[in-house]
Structure formats: structure tokens, C-alpha cells
Amino acid sequence: MASEWAAQVIGINYYPEYTTLKPLTAAAEDAEKIAQLLELYGYRPFRAQCLPRTLNPKGEGKIDRQGAVKVQELREAIANLFNPPDPNPTPETALFFFSGHGWCKTVAGKEEVFLATSDALPDAGIYGIPLSWLGEQLQRSQAKRVVVWLDCCYSGELLKFIPADKDYCLITATRSYETGVEIPHAQGFLTQTLLAGLNPENDADGIINSHKLADFIISRMPNTVQRPLIANSPRAILLTTKFSQKSFQDKCPYRSLSYFSETKEDAEVFYGRSALTGQLN
């Protein structure tokens, strides 16, 4: 059976006045575009789920751009992605994307960063989901590969919680003490760069992995007003490809003495030399 790749994509525009947070204009659209790109180009087919969610006329889930996301909804979505209850299988690759408000608060004398939800109630000490709890979910997960991209303020705090026993790709829009910048009705700086870097049509090899994505972000965002942070495992995680989806089950990529051809089939298992061959030409 083919391994499952799952993505949970969150984009929150709606923050009522009682949250004390300003409504956003592009977070939901950012999440929607990330989900679309993963479904179109995922190296393996992603089962992408979105919040806040609505249904189109065909019964398919899509982002509700004016919808609310509550604390319990977000907590369950994260837990079900990284640590689904029995008998549900854990995905081999689990990807979490969040675009919305992040804030730093002192709770019980300890400074904590939260992914803010639509029902946050500061007067009652309700702020959203702590990044420390998300870090625990990453560490506990049986997924072979975990990917987390956070486009929100103070998100660099996530890099305190790098998992020790699996491949990972953690990318945050800001440092842990830094607020993000929103240009109304424009994509977030990080999401804009993620979408360009993940698009395999922009790559000579047509395959994007976590290391390539990191290099792209670093090259494209050196002078922006907010600084992204990146933590990648030594072993790269394959993310997207422009080639057709196929299963390599029962197929060995090691060709022994057989030569590689210029077919798409061979390109999917032998790639990454475009820059070097370009220098030789």
C-alpha cells in the first residue's frame, strides 16, 4: 500500500474585536494557495485538509475566508495530523502550515508563544495553541518526516522544539522576538516565497526538496524587514515535483551497470546535477 502524505493547512482572517487582534486580509488565501500547490505538485499525493473549512457545490472542502477557527478545532487538527488515534495510520510525511496571528504572552510567570485562534480571550487567559505543545506533538509523532511552516509573529520560537528522531523541515516567518508585517490584501512575505520556492516548474531539475527550499528562501529574503528562520534535518525531505505521480513500490532506483536515459522515469530517481552541468557547458 502506498504511504500516506498528509497536510493540515490553516489560514485565519477572522479575529473578532474581543480578541484584541486585528482581522487579517490574506492569511486564508495564503493557506488556500499552499494547499492547492501541494495537491497539484506534491511529490506524493497529499491528503490536504484546511481550516476554517467550507464545502463547494461538489462537496469538496475548501478554505472559508471569513470563517473562525477555535482553540479546540486547531488542537484536534494538529493532534490528528501528527498523532492520530488508533486505529488510524500515522502519515509517513506530515505537513502543517499556519498563517494568522501569533503572539507572545506571559502565563504563570513563563513567556509563551501562541498560534492565535478566533476565540482567543485575553481576559480569560485564552490565547490559542502554545508552540511548546506543538513541539511536543512533533516529538511524539511516529511520522518519518515532519514539516512545519509558520507565517506569523514570534514564530521563530518553534526552533526550540526540533524533533530528535525523525527528518524535519521547520520554517518560520520571523525570529522568536519579532513581529511580522502584513501588507493589506497582499500575500505574507514568507508565504509568497514558499509558493515560488515550492513550484517545481521554476527548478531546473523539476523536483524540490527541503534543502533546495531553504536555499531559495535564504536567497530571496535577505533584506526583508522580517527574518525567516529555517531548521532542516541533514537528510532532505522531498516536497514537490513537476513529474507525474507514480509509485516506486517494487522498483529499485539503483541501476547497477544500466545507463540512465533522458526519460521522465529516470529523471525521477536521478536528478540534482543541473547546476554542475551548467557550469561545465
Side-chain angles (χ1 to χ4, degrees):
M1 182 177 71
S3 63
E4 181 179 66
W5 287 31
Q8 183 68 61
V9 179
I10 314 294
I12 307 176
N13 285 346
Y14 179 65
Y15 290 95
E17 186 175 345
Y18 65 78
T19 67
T20 73
L21 296 169
K22 182 178 70 173
L24 297 175
T25 59
E29 183 179 358
D30 283 353
E32 189 172 63
K33 289 183 177 179
I34 289 288
Q36 290 171 349
L37 187 143
L38 292 174
E39 290 174 345
L40 180 62
Y41 290 118
Y43 190 80
R44 289 289 181 270
F46 272 98
R47 179 178 53 83
Q49 296 187 335
C50 302
L51 284 177
R53 187 177 70 164
T54 186
L55 298 178
N56 65 17
K58 295 181 179 179
E60 300 166 335
K62 56 178 286 188
I63 283 278
D64 180 357
R65 298 191 183 186
Q66 300 305 317
V69 177
K70 298 181 179 181
V71 171
Q72 189 59 29
E73 283 183 294
L74 184 53
R75 184 181 296 273
E76 289 177 359
I78 294 172
N80 289 338
L81 172 66
F82 294 112
N83 296 289
D86 291 334
N88 304 286
T90 302
E92 286 201 4
T93 299
L95 186 153
F96 177 69
F97 172 85
F98 177 89
S99 181
H101 278 298
W103 53 8
C104 185
K105 295 292 180 181
T106 300
V107 179
K110 180 182 177 182
E111 196 171 77
E112 185 85 74
V113 174
F114 295 84
L115 302 178
T117 52
S118 304
D119 61 344
L121 193 59
D123 290 343
I126 300 172
Y127 303 108
I129 299 298
L131 285 190
S132 59
W133 181 84
L134 172 58
E136 292 172 4
Q137 294 297 307
L138 296 178
Q139 188 62 52
R140 288 178 46 218
S141 179
Q142 296 301 305
K144 294 181 179 179
R145 297 168 289 272
V146 294
V147 180
V148 180
W149 302 327
L150 303 180
D151 197 347
C152 61
C153 299
Y154 310 110
S155 50
E157 183 80 2
L158 178 70
L159 271 62
K160 291 182 178 179
F161 309 106
I162 295 174
D165 59 349
K166 54 184 67 72
D167 295 333
Y168 57 86
C169 173
L170 311 180
I171 301 176
T172 70
T174 69
R175 291 169 282 194
S176 61
Y177 55 83
E178 188 175 42
T179 58
V181 176
E182 189 208 22
I183 300 174
H185 305 288
Q187 285 181 336
F189 287 141
L190 177 62
T191 299
Q192 184 178 34
T193 309
L194 278 174
L195 289 168
L198 285 167
N199 190 335
E201 304 291 347
N202 299 332
D203 181 76
D205 300 313
I207 298 177
I208 303 298
N209 63 35
S210 53
H211 291 181
K212 277 189 178 182
L213 181 60
D215 291 341
F216 184 88
I217 291 172
I218 291 168
S219 67
R220 288 283 292 267
M221 299 184 68
N223 300 313
T224 51
V225 294
Q226 61 192 56
R227 179 183 173 185
L229 295 183
I230 301 170
N232 270 331
S233 55
R235 182 164 49 189
I237 299 174
L238 291 163
L239 296 169
T240 58
T241 179
K242 68 181 181 182
F243 301 113
S244 60
Q245 301 293 344
K246 293 184 177 179
S247 171
F248 289 106
Q249 191 172 10
D250 300 326
K251 292 184 181 180
C252 179
Y254 302 104
R255 301 295 298 274
S256 185
L257 297 179
S258 301
Y259 63 86
F260 282 89
S261 68
E262 295 182 359
T263 64
K264 291 183 178 180
E265 288 76 10
D266 283 352
E268 289 192 6
V269 295
F270 185 79
Y271 64 91
R273 299 295 187 268
S274 298
L276 290 176
T277 54
Q279 293 175 16
L280 296 173
N281 290 338

